[in-house]
């Protein structure tokens, strides 16, 4: 067994072990379509048609997310009595629901030891997602993506139509049969700082049916290439950057060219791409015009929360610059050679090397005042 070591040391990298363990996880070995595979129609089609993955990617962020996920769910199970990582299956998908929080009417049908410490007002299906700080404001403002909503509505729809899967360890749950799901909940965890954000949506049988139809459409394909790409490709969408079928979905192009050039086959494609470019430019210009007007209107507004948005400011402080006259005086006092021609950069280096502070003076001007707008 070969073990990768960290550069310049004999210490083995723990990530090699982590990737090996992750590859043996039941979810990694599963060949049946899972709800989490429905992020993209073509990816789902590759899986349903038994196509072997063509690409491996760095999974460190995903593995860290898995560790956080597992720890939080186990804590919820032991402390709250929530049903955690319970399996569901119907004729379309198979998967494990992160959390099911039973309502009182359903909980009373179970033995006392399996009831939650606190019942929900309505039966709730919860999915826990970890996100980076880079995506955090987007998550707080817009919530779950269409693909994430589809995934959880598939879980909830299966629970409402079929119930829990009848397998060892949860047969007592399977005996409950179809359940009256009332709500789905997303719990987003910032994996950089631990912040928590919850989004709740009423369960809608129609939306669950639409998610099921999406899977049926994938299953009806005779060739994965019949399914459209749901994202814009490597370099533009992270889903594509880390897709296990990246090379298969996006064909090779000449060295140095973006893979999206493969989408141009003729002059009609070029004409449409140019129309899209012009439309994008117009939308950007209109967006800039709206933002500039709003910025002018808000210039004297105090910080605070206004509806769904938080307004804050940075900058607007006294501007400073290097004080050349004070630096010359300091050179003379310290016995340092003074440049014949005032040279701020050279004098700063001299003072820094001598361990002396670089004198600054106020200019009488203010630094630019920059607006910050985030979700409340």
């Amino acid at each position: 067994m070969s073990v990768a070591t960290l550069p310049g040391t004999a210490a083995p990298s723990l990530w090699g072990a982590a990737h090996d363990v992750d590859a043996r996880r039941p979810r990694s070995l599963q060949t049946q379509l899972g709800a989490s595979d429905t992020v993209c129609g073509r990816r789902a089609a590759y899986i349903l048609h038994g196509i072997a993955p063509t690409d491996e990617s760095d999974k460190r962020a995903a593995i860290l997310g898995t560790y956080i996920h597992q720890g939080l769910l186990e804590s919820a199970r032991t402390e709250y009595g929530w049903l955690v990582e319970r399996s569901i299956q119907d004729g379309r998908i198979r998967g494990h629901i992160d959390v099911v929080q039973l309502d009182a009417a359903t909980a009373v049908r179970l033995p006392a030891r399996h009831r939650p410490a606190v019942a929900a007002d309505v039966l709730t299906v919860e999915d826990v997602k970890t996100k980076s700080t880079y995506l955090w404001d987007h998550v707080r403002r817009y919530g779950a993506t269409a693909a994430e909503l589809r995934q959880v509505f598939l879980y909830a729809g299966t629970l409402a139509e079929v119930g829990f899967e009848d397998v060892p360890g949860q047969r007592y749950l399977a005996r409950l049969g179809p359940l009256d799901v009332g709500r789905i909940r997303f719990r987003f965890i910032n994996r950089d700082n631990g912040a928590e954000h919850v989004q709740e949506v009423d369960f809608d049988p129609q939306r669950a049916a639409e998610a099921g139809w999406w899977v049926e459409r994938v299953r009806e394909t005779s060739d994965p290439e019949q399914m459209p790409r749901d994202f814009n490709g490597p370099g533009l969408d992270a889903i594509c950057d880390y897709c296990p079928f990246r090379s298969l979905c996006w064909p090779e192009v000449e060295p140095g060219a973006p893979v999206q050039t493969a989408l141009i086959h003729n002059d009609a494609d070029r004409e449409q791409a140019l129309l899209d470019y012009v439309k994008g430019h117009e939308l950007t210009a209109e967006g800039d015009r709206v933002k500039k007007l709003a910025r002018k209107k808000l210039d004297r507004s105090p910080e605070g929360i206004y509806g769904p948005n938080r307004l804050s400011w940075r900058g607007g402080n006294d501007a400073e610059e290097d004080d050349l006259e004070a630096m010359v005086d300091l050179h003379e006092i310290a016995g340092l050679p003074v440049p014949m021609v005032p040279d701020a950069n050279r004098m700063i280096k001299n003072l820094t090397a001598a361990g002396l502070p670089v004198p600054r003076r106020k200019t009488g001007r203010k630094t630019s005042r920059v607006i910050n707008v985030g979700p409340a």
Side-chain angles (χ1 to χ4, degrees):
M1 176 181 182
S2 72
V3 178
T5 59
L6 295 174
T9 75
S13 170
L14 293 178
W15 284 114
H19 278 85
D20 290 343
V21 170
D22 184 73
R24 294 195 298 270
R25 290 174 56 231
R27 182 66 194 88
S28 297
L29 299 172
Q30 179 178 316
T31 56
Q32 187 175 352
L33 185 67
S36 59
D37 296 318
T38 63
V39 64
C40 170
R42 186 170 290 190
R43 181 193 293 193
Y46 285 136
I47 294 170
L48 279 173
H49 284 272
I51 307 297
T54 56
D55 298 87
E56 291 187 2
S57 58
D58 188 332
K59 296 183 177 179
R60 285 179 290 185
I63 291 172
L64 285 175
T66 297
Y67 294 160
I68 296 170
H69 194 266
Q70 290 174 337
L72 291 174
L73 292 186
E74 179 60 16
S75 298
R77 185 190 68 81
T78 59
E79 300 304 310
Y80 298 160
W82 290 355
L83 299 174
V84 168
E85 289 286 0
R86 297 298 184 172
S87 64
I88 51 98
Q89 182 174 7
D90 63 9
R92 298 171 300 203
I93 58 105
R94 183 173 191 272
H96 290 79
I97 301 178
D98 284 351
V99 171
V100 177
Q101 187 181 6
L102 299 177
D103 61 315
T106 306
V108 76
R109 298 166 57 191
L110 294 176
R113 67 181 182 277
H114 293 305
R115 296 173 191 169
V118 178
D121 56 335
V122 294
L123 193 148
T124 301
V125 173
E126 176 171 325
D127 198 58
V128 177
K129 302 287 187 188
T130 61
K131 301 288 184 178
S132 67
T133 299
Y134 175 74
L135 294 172
W136 195 245
D137 276 356
H138 188 276
V139 165
R140 292 185 59 206
R141 186 178 295 280
Y142 301 109
T145 65
E148 290 167 340
L149 284 164
R150 179 168 56 240
Q151 174 188 346
V152 183
F153 270 110
L154 279 169
Y155 285 144
T158 301
L159 202 60
E161 292 179 9
V162 179
F164 290 100
E165 186 179 13
D166 189 2
V167 293
Q170 61 175 51
R171 297 202 190 280
Y172 69 98
L173 295 173
R175 285 194 286 270
L176 293 172
L179 298 175
D180 183 17
V181 179
R183 176 190 301 126
I184 65 173
R185 176 192 296 142
F186 289 92
R187 190 181 303 272
F188 298 100
I189 305 295
N190 186 316
R191 59 174 172 261
D192 298 322
N193 60 27
E196 184 176 16
H197 175 68
V198 169
Q199 174 191 4
E200 294 185 331
V201 181
D202 290 340
F203 176 69
D204 182 353
Q206 177 64 26
R207 295 182 73 176
E210 290 171 358
W213 296 335
W214 187 94
V215 175
E216 289 298 333
R217 184 166 63 98
V218 177
R219 293 173 65 88
E220 290 169 358
T221 60
S222 58
D223 184 331
E225 307 298 322
Q226 293 175 346
M227 287 300 297
R229 300 178 179 93
D230 290 340
F231 296 91
N232 290 330
L236 296 177
D237 282 307
I239 292 292
C240 297
D241 291 333
Y242 297 101
C243 179
F245 301 100
R246 183 178 66 250
S247 299
L248 186 60
C249 183
W250 293 90
E252 289 189 14
V253 295
E254 63 182 76
V259 295
Q260 289 79 8
T261 56
L263 301 176
I264 298 293
H265 301 98
N266 49 47
D267 285 350
D269 291 340
R270 295 182 181 89
E271 179 182 354
Q272 184 58 53
L274 286 169
L275 290 171
D276 292 341
Y277 185 91
V278 171
K279 179 181 178 181
H281 177 76
E282 292 171 348
L283 290 172
T284 300
E286 176 62 14
D288 285 344
R289 188 188 70 81
V290 172
K291 285 175 61 179
K292 286 177 181 178
L293 174 59
R295 170 64 180 83
K296 295 289 188 183
K297 291 162 67 176
L298 290 166
D299 192 70
R300 291 297 179 263
S301 295
E303 295 185 340
I305 294 175
Y306 302 94
N309 296 303
R310 179 189 298 274
L311 171 65
S312 61
W313 299 95
R314 59 186 174 85
N317 304 313
D318 291 331
E320 293 185 344
E321 64 183 10
D322 297 324
D323 189 336
L324 285 175
E325 291 184 4
M327 281 196 280
V328 171
D329 294 340
L330 196 55
H331 272 65
E332 292 176 345
I333 293 171
L336 299 173
V338 179
M340 295 300 295
V341 178
D343 185 338
N345 290 333
R346 183 177 172 186
M347 287 194 287
I348 289 172
K349 289 180 181 178
N350 292 342
L351 295 173
T352 301
L356 297 172
V358 176
R360 305 270 292 170
R361 67 182 181 87
K362 296 188 184 300
T363 64
R365 301 187 303 272
K366 297 286 186 180
T367 59
S368 298
R369 195 161 179 250
V370 180
I371 190 170
N372 288 320
V373 179

